[in-house]
Amino acid sequence: MTKINIDGKELDVPAEFTLLQACEEAGAEIPRFCFHERLSIAGNCRMCLVEVKGGPPKPTASCAMAVRDLRPGPNGEAPVVLTNSPMARKARAGVMEFLLINHPLDCPICDQGGECDLQDQAMAYGVDSSRYAENKRAVEDKYIGPLVKTSMNRCIHCTRCVRFTAEVAGTGDMGAIGRGEDMEITTYLEAAMTSELQGNVTDLCPVGALLPKPQSFRSRPWELTKTQSIDVMDALGSNIRIDTRGREVIRILPRNNDAVNEEWISDKTRQIVDGLKTQRLDRPYVRKNGRLTAVSWNEAFAAIAAKVKTTAPAKIGAIAGDLESVEEMFALKALMSSLGSASIDCRQDGSKLDPKAGRASYIFNPTIAGIENADAVLIVGSNPRKEAPVLNARIRKRWLRGDLAVGVIGQQVDLTYAIQYLGAGADTLSDVAAGKGFGEILAKAARPLVIVGQGALSRTDGAAILALAAKLAVKGDWNGLAILHTAASRVGGLDLGFVPGEGGLDAAAMAKGGVDVLFNLGADEIDIAAGAFVIYQGSHGDRGAHRADVILPGAAYTEKSGTYVNTEGRVQMADRASFPPGDAREDWAVLRALSDAIGKRLPFDSLAALRAALYAAHPHFAHLDAIEPGDAASLASLSAGALDKSPFVNAIDDFYLTNPIARASAVMAECSALAKGRLRQAAE
């Protein structure tokens, strides 16, 4: 620790702190444009100037000078830094004057208005007139993709966007051309950005130069109601904020959570907003004479009750989809139990994960933040760049520190960091487990991380692959077995035991005609054969609704309060931001009303009562933002079996169209078409 005197306050700070960090530790507020805590230091906006006693006779950029670089006073006194001296204030006012020479006067029509760093800091350091009479610089707006709108006249050359795409996203999409006043920020030949995290540049931009294109001219920030929630577009459980106006979701922004998503979210998380109001189910339907016909709730319930009461319990089943919260799965499991059915499943992709093997067998045991402690990584049957882009950025962050070998078994893809491609299938994994090739690196590693994707686990030999991976991942007290899920509901469903009971059928068997009555709770990624009477409960008119005989309209994830468990086993709760359209209702409430009609009344009348029953049966769900660790010893029960020699196929082919909300989004459809066009172009 080093002593430093800031504005008359003496404190101890680490020597590697920058002056800016030290000043903030002392409670001083330092303006900045180019500096960002998660990006490299550029030192090019000069707004963070402070006065250093005993240093150069000029203001010092506090973001670019470390505490260790300061000299003590003549008698060994601690270095003195002044953040609000006349010199510092005059220097900042001069910088602000230069920034405003070319900045356009379009605050009234700028979407950044009300959230603009330049506006805020101009209030403190700007003046009411300019000494410059020259014409303002004009810069042509650039096309950089369907998600980010440019207004480059406003750009102040902070280069945050350039550093983000180069360092965090790893695609290097953006850069600067020209020098001085002719400098412009752009993509190469004005091509669309390729990163799945590109929308984060709109959060980073301190002015209105980069803005979310789908939300252009739709609202002002002070008009919006802000609700904290959890993302369900993947299994990472990114912390988000949903901004609504009235009943309409206007935008989705990230919330900071260093343990999960830091302050980034994927483009799908951010821009599926239009999909929330397209192709919505807003009333019950019953199939009559081959056509779905709108009916009342009572009529829909009567049709279901009549069918269920004439069907044997062994011929009734339920499948839960990928976007469901713990509450409705708990309610559906209770309903199926009261009907005497053991055929329930939350693994519509056929994953071979089973809660009988213990929690350690199906969660990301080293945790997401624990990626930064790994010293070797093996990725099996997964493409984390598409399955969890924010998690992939965390792997890249660890790789940038150096001394990290990353091996990949499966499809060869660009993960934005250097990899050793080992092979395509289970034979390669078997060789690595035997200590050959990359297996030697894992054997020497103190904290090996083995990421297993659903592309490996949903095969017939998924259980054998899991056993091999567990053998490689556990070392002493370190459990590096990391199951990367693609479904937000999967870990919660496995925690609940939403899997077939004794004599029950799994999702594949039920979908192929193993049951006569099938409750489909938002499962849109599985094909259900003709014959069964299908009750679909969900929010969108997707594949599941097209196959249904009865449709019960439910709420989207933004329209209900629900509990979600992410891929690392962290329990998180989302708050309701808006209300379902029309006659649609929250899913647990629909199931509670349906249980009355069937004559198997569920024992709760409110969400609070449901959660009380949930916590009594599964206490760990009550511990929000906490992870119930798995017991690594339970992994010994996993037994290796025969391996399939076919190559692994990643679970996600098209990142932008993985669920019914995304498929209903015109913005996601445009992004998907653009990505496919790039693939065709690369193939040619």
Side-chain angles (χ1 to χ4, degrees), residues 482-539:
I483 307 302
L484 182 55
H485 291 277
T486 55
S489 65
R490 186 65 50 83
V491 176
L494 293 171
D495 280 350
L496 286 171
F498 204 98
V499 293
E502 188 175 347
L505 303 177
D506 63 12
M510 286 186 274
K512 288 176 183 175
V515 293
D516 293 337
V517 175
L518 179 60
F519 285 87
N520 181 344
L521 182 62
D524 291 282
E525 317 307 322
I526 188 169
D527 290 316
I528 301 172
F533 182 84
V534 179
I535 302 123
Y536 177 77
Q537 184 176 334
S539 60

Side-chain angles (χ1 to χ4, degrees), residues 230-520:
I230 302 298
D231 173 50
V232 299
M233 293 296 109
D234 57 33
L236 191 71
S238 296
N239 287 218
I240 59 174
R241 192 186 85 195
I242 301 171
D243 288 0
T244 55
R245 184 175 56 197
R247 297 176 67 97
E248 183 182 9
V249 175
I250 299 295
R251 64 179 183 179
I252 295 173
L253 298 174
R255 283 190 293 129
N256 188 76
N257 187 328
D258 287 346
V260 182
N261 58 304
E262 297 185 305
E263 59 188 84
W264 318 123
I265 54 173
S266 74
D267 294 332
K268 184 165 54 177
T269 299
R270 185 185 298 270
Q271 295 296 3
I272 47 79
V273 171
D274 61 321
L276 289 167
K277 58 181 180 180
T278 308
Q279 296 187 346
R280 289 302 304 269
L281 300 172
D282 59 358
R283 63 186 67 180
Y285 290 86
V286 172
R287 193 174 294 276
K288 298 179 179 179
N289 301 320
R291 294 177 63 87
L292 287 168
T293 305
V295 297
S296 66
W297 279 105
N298 288 338
E299 192 173 344
F301 287 160
I304 296 169
K307 190 69 179 178
V308 168
K309 287 173 182 177
T310 59
T311 305
K315 285 294 186 178
I316 301 174
I319 302 175
D322 293 348
L323 308 183
E324 307 311 313
S325 72
V326 169
E327 284 82 356
E328 53 249 31
M329 288 190 288
F330 179 74
L332 181 56
K333 183 185 178 187
L335 179 60
M336 297 304 293
S337 178
S338 69
L339 291 171
S341 172
S343 298
I344 58 174
D345 205 349
C346 63
R347 307 162 302 180
Q348 59 176 322
D349 57 3
S351 174
K352 299 303 181 287
L353 297 172
D354 196 314
K356 290 178 182 176
R359 202 168 197 243
S361 69
Y362 61 83
I363 65 172
F364 203 98
N365 290 282
T367 72
I368 296 165
I371 291 172
E372 298 183 31
N373 298 322
D375 48 10
V377 176
L378 176 65
I379 300 174
V380 182
S382 175
N383 179 358
R385 181 173 172 181
K386 288 187 177 180
E387 294 170 21
V390 178
L391 182 140
N392 191 61
R394 183 83 75 146
I395 300 174
R396 175 178 167 79
K397 179 182 178 182
R398 169 64 187 89
W399 172 79
L400 283 173
R401 278 178 23 214
D403 193 28
L404 181 71
V406 182
V408 172
I409 302 175
Q411 292 178 255
Q412 193 166 5
V413 292
D414 176 15
L415 295 178
T416 72
Y417 41 85
I419 63 167
Q420 296 181 37
Y421 183 67
L422 308 177
D427 286 350
T428 305
L429 179 62
S430 187
D431 290 342
V432 172
K436 301 176 184 176
F438 198 81
E440 295 180 11
I441 296 175
L442 291 176
K444 293 175 184 176
R447 294 178 298 279
L449 179 64
V450 182
I451 299 175
V452 188
Q454 301 307 303
L457 296 171
S458 58
R459 298 162 26 126
T460 54
D461 60 348
I465 290 166
L466 181 63
L468 279 176
K471 178 183 173 184
L472 287 165
V474 179
K475 227 173 216 194
D477 294 334
W478 171 264
N479 182 0
L481 180 63
I483 307 302
L484 182 55
H485 291 277
T486 55
S489 65
R490 186 65 50 83
V491 176
L494 293 171
D495 280 350
L496 286 171
F498 204 98
V499 293
E502 188 175 347
L505 303 177
D506 63 12
M510 286 186 274
K512 288 176 183 175
V515 293
D516 293 337
V517 175
L518 179 60
F519 285 87
N520 181 344

